[in-house]
Amino acid sequence: MEEKIVGILNEMAEYLSVSQLKKLQEVMLRAFVEKEQDKKDISNDEYLKLFLEAKKIEGCSERTIQYYGTTINKMLEMVKDSIRKITTEQIREFLSEYQKINNCSKVTVDNVRRNISSFFSWLEEENYILKSPMRRIHKIKTNQQVKEVISDEDIEKLRDNCPCKRDLAIIDLLYSTGIRVGELVNLNITDIDLDARECVVFGKGGKERKVYFDAKAKLHVQEYIDSRTDNNPALFVTLDSPHDRLKISGVEIRVRQLGRKLALQSIFPHKFRRSTATRAIDKGMPIEQVQKLLGHSQIDTTMQYAIVSQNNVKSSHRKYIS
């Protein structure tokens, strides 16, 4: 029904003004769609539940689904209207209030905007609404800050001060491959090919890809595996019995604690990934190959990670321009 209405509106766009088209849309929705929807009254909570189930089927992680649910639910709690009646102005007002209440950055607000946009785009694709109210709310411009990476000196400090073979293997694998911490904890011993110095990981959406590690990582991973006495198939397990598979939070806590102990600035698992990308770009790896290595579907995402060193820019200027 709604597809037919869109077709009629597109056909009449040539003959009617914008205000007339809006009025025609309102009349047709009132006459057809809303009557049809009354027969099957779906609550906002049910719409959100359907959306989250769709995201789960698409392969989104539990953490991503939880983030979708939290941000969209906050919007629905503040706006209160039925999803079919929510307007662009109401969402703009919500985003403005969200920033004031939480005193958060533009980057955080834009993440919330993207989640809400994804929700309404899905509703439109599934024909639950005629048109997403997010179409006129564009990406929020933010200042592009150069994010810090882990220096070679700091990596050596981390290696030298690892309290156990497992943590040393984790640091080398994160730094050498650039894999996500979620991909790291999901690795099994059988996923690792030590001779070829490569392993298979499953990224976002369950996408499979190969990543590669250096000789140091190979040596330390081998030493850690050889020291294991348990039968857990997971590559990384807890130090204490019953040696369960290590969780994301476990890696994050361990890495942050080690960084604080050495008085290093902001050491966390994702920083290794950014450092790997930056190092690869600085050494001349083509951006398309870095994209493949990191498992990004969009090259724009890779560009955000690959921050070229200012020193390299200076030396290149001297080489090619000065």
Side-chain angles (χ1 to χ4, degrees):
M1 177 62 73
E2 294 190 22
E3 289 180 3
K4 290 180 180 179
I5 291 175
V6 173
I8 293 169
L9 291 172
N10 288 337
E11 194 171 331
M12 294 302 294
E14 187 179 344
Y15 308 101
L16 301 176
S17 66
V18 174
S19 60
Q20 289 171 329
L21 273 174
K22 283 187 176 180
K23 188 62 179 176
L24 176 60
Q25 178 179 318
E26 288 174 10
V27 172
M28 294 179 74
L29 282 172
R30 207 161 43 240
F32 301 111
V33 178
E34 290 186 356
K35 285 183 181 178
E36 181 178 292
Q37 191 63 27
D38 286 342
K39 297 175 184 176
K40 188 180 179 182
D41 190 23
I42 302 177
S43 69
N44 287 357
D45 289 341
E46 287 175 304
Y47 278 126
L48 180 55
K49 185 181 176 183
L50 290 169
F51 169 71
L52 296 178
E53 285 174 352
K55 286 297 171 185
K56 191 171 185 177
I57 292 169
E58 288 173 16
C60 290
S61 68
E62 286 297 325
R63 182 178 282 193
T64 300
I65 291 169
Q66 186 178 7
Y67 187 39
Y68 272 124
T70 302
T71 52
I72 295 166
N73 201 46
K74 282 181 181 176
M75 183 270 295
L76 295 175
E77 285 176 356
M78 189 174 288
V79 176
K80 295 190 183 302
D81 279 347
S82 166
I83 275 171
R84 296 176 57 78
K85 295 180 180 179
I86 291 175
T87 65
T88 301
E89 289 70 25
Q90 285 176 307
I91 296 173
R92 282 200 183 109
E93 186 179 348
F94 162 73
L95 291 172
S96 177
E97 286 298 311
Y98 184 93
Q99 187 172 24
K100 288 177 186 175
I101 294 169
N102 296 283
N103 192 28
C104 52
S105 67
K106 289 182 179 180
V107 174
T108 301
V109 177
D110 194 57
N111 288 337
V112 173
R113 178 201 61 81
R114 285 193 295 109
N115 283 359
I116 295 171
S117 182
S118 180
F119 177 51
F120 279 103
S121 294
W122 178 82
L123 289 169
E124 184 179 332
E125 288 169 5
E126 296 292 319
N127 294 322
Y128 288 121
I129 59 174
L130 183 63
K131 181 181 175 182
S132 168
M134 295 297 295
R135 287 195 185 187
R136 290 186 288 122
I137 301 178
H138 305 298
K139 176 178 169 59
I140 298 169
K141 291 183 179 179
T142 57
N143 296 327
Q144 290 289 340
Q145 295 181 337
V146 177
K147 295 181 179 179
E148 292 181 354
V149 295
I150 306 173
S151 68
D152 292 340
E153 183 181 342
D154 286 347
I155 280 292
E156 289 306 319
K157 285 181 181 178
L158 290 167
R159 284 191 180 115
D160 291 343
N161 289 275
C162 277
C164 61
K165 291 179 180 179
R166 184 201 66 180
D167 291 0
L168 182 55
I170 285 174
I171 282 172
D172 269 332
L173 211 53
L174 283 173
Y175 190 62
S176 186
T177 62
I179 58 177
R180 301 176 179 95
V181 64
E183 295 167 346
L184 178 90
V185 297
N186 285 330
L187 279 172
N188 290 326
I189 295 173
T190 53
D191 295 326
I192 298 281
D193 186 337
L194 288 168
D195 292 331
R197 298 210 314 246
E198 63 185 36
C199 57
V200 176
V201 297
F202 292 89
K204 291 184 177 180
K207 295 176 185 174
E208 179 183 323
R209 75 180 191 282
K210 276 187 180 180
V211 294
Y212 310 94
F213 47 89
D214 59 22
K216 273 187 180 178
K218 173 186 175 179
L219 178 65
H220 294 141
V221 169
Q222 181 70 73
E223 287 179 351
Y224 166 61
I225 292 173
D226 291 343
S227 71
R228 291 263 298 271
T229 56
D230 61 273
N231 296 318
N232 196 318
L235 178 60
F236 294 110
V237 296
T238 57
L239 297 176
D240 299 324
S241 184
H243 304 294
D244 295 323
R245 182 183 293 273
L246 199 59
K247 295 180 180 178
I248 291 174
S249 58
V251 177
E252 289 176 340
I253 291 168
R254 198 75 172 179
V255 169
R256 287 179 190 275
Q257 283 177 342
L258 183 57
R260 282 196 292 268
K261 178 185 172 184
L262 298 172
L264 302 179
Q265 179 135 11
S266 301
I267 300 296
F268 50 91
H270 201 76
K271 197 169 186 177
F272 288 85
R273 182 168 166 82
R274 190 191 311 142
S275 302
T276 302
T278 303
R279 193 161 48 113
I281 290 291
D282 283 352
K283 291 189 175 181
M285 180 183 279
I287 190 68
E288 295 83 3
Q289 292 181 19
V290 179
Q291 177 190 3
K292 187 81 173 173
L293 184 70
L294 298 179
H296 291 150
S297 56
Q298 300 293 329
I299 202 164
D300 289 349
T301 310
T302 312
M303 291 301 295
Q304 293 173 15
Y305 285 77
I307 305 156
V308 179
S309 167
Q310 190 63 39
N311 290 332
N312 286 0
V313 174
K314 184 177 181 179
S315 61
S316 293
H317 180 273
R318 287 177 176 173
K319 180 178 179 181
Y320 296 109
I321 299 175
S322 299

